[in-house]
Amino acid sequence: SSLYIVNMASGSLIDCMTYKPFLMSLTIDENGTMYAMAASEEDYDPFTWVSTYLPAKMYTLNVEKGTCEFYMDTGVLCNQLASMAYDFDTGYIYWTGFYNGGTYVSGLHLIDLESQSAYNLGAIGMAGSQVSGLYTISDPECYPAGPDSLQNVSIMSTMETLSVGETVALETF
């Protein structure tokens, strides 16, 4: 894989660095640390990666030093398109992986940088959905307003079966 700077006026590329792991997505935190999701060096084969699900591993990239260092193993098999976004409000990374997870092939994951853990948050869309432009909104004005606090709230337990697009009212007492 190679990392380039794009000249926005001319569209020309400047090669910053080249490294062996096949990068699938990257994001940058508030300190300028660049994180990339990739197939590990030992697992990457340029002739079979499209049809092979590889262990997704996270690396940190340092463009100034030209280094790509292993950061963590996600425990997820993946390939092809993926996207990552750093959440400036929480410090977590959200990553969409396209993989064969058994019952679905696209998933949203939360990466906790402090504990170096990956959590599967569930499937994305229909089977085969791929996300290539993930981002988070870091503006409190965009979040829906809610009450300052809730106290002594109970929700009556009922069992409902819903189809796509249907809603059900919850009853509180």
Side-chain angles (χ1 to χ4, degrees):
S1 294
S2 295
L3 183 65
Y4 296 93
I5 295 173
V6 178
N7 180 320
M8 299 306 283
S10 68
S12 63
L13 300 175
I14 300 168
D15 192 350
C16 292
M17 60 187 283
T18 301
Y19 30 81
K20 189 171 179 182
F22 175 73
L23 299 185
M24 293 178 265
S25 54
L26 61 91
T27 191
I28 301 172
D29 71 10
E30 76 274 2
N31 299 316
T33 303
M34 187 179 301
Y35 297 92
M37 198 64 70
S40 66
E41 287 186 31
E42 64 271 12
D43 298 313
Y44 174 68
D45 179 349
F47 301 106
T48 63
W49 75 269
V50 173
S51 61
T52 304
Y53 293 94
L54 304 171
K57 300 178 190 275
M58 184 179 280
Y59 293 82
T60 56
L61 306 179
N62 186 318
V63 177
E64 292 172 355
K65 294 179 182 177
T67 60
C68 178
E69 296 180 8
F70 175 78
Y71 185 77
M72 66 176 274
D73 190 344
T74 66
V76 176
L77 297 177
C78 68
N79 81 352
Q80 298 185 19
L81 286 179
S83 186
M84 294 172 70
Y86 180 80
D87 186 334
F88 290 90
D89 293 332
T90 65
Y92 295 134
I93 290 176
Y94 291 92
W95 168 59
T96 62
F98 182 75
Y99 61 93
N100 183 355
T103 58
Y104 55 89
V105 293
S106 300
L108 177 64
H109 296 80
L110 180 139
I111 307 293
D112 183 336
L113 296 172
E114 285 187 30
S115 68
Q116 295 187 345
S117 301
Y119 302 95
N120 185 339
L121 300 179
I124 298 173
M126 305 301 286
S129 298
Q130 294 180 333
V131 177
S132 60
L134 186 66
Y135 67 95
T136 61
I137 298 173
S138 184
D139 183 357
E141 297 289 322
C142 296
Y143 296 118
D148 290 336
S149 67
L150 296 174
Q151 296 178 2
N152 301 324
V153 174
S154 297
I155 297 176
M156 183 173 290
S157 176
T158 62
M159 179 63 101
E160 296 286 338
T161 302
L162 299 175
S163 296
V164 174
E166 293 182 326
T167 61
V168 66
L170 297 176
E171 184 179 338
T172 60
F173 58 95

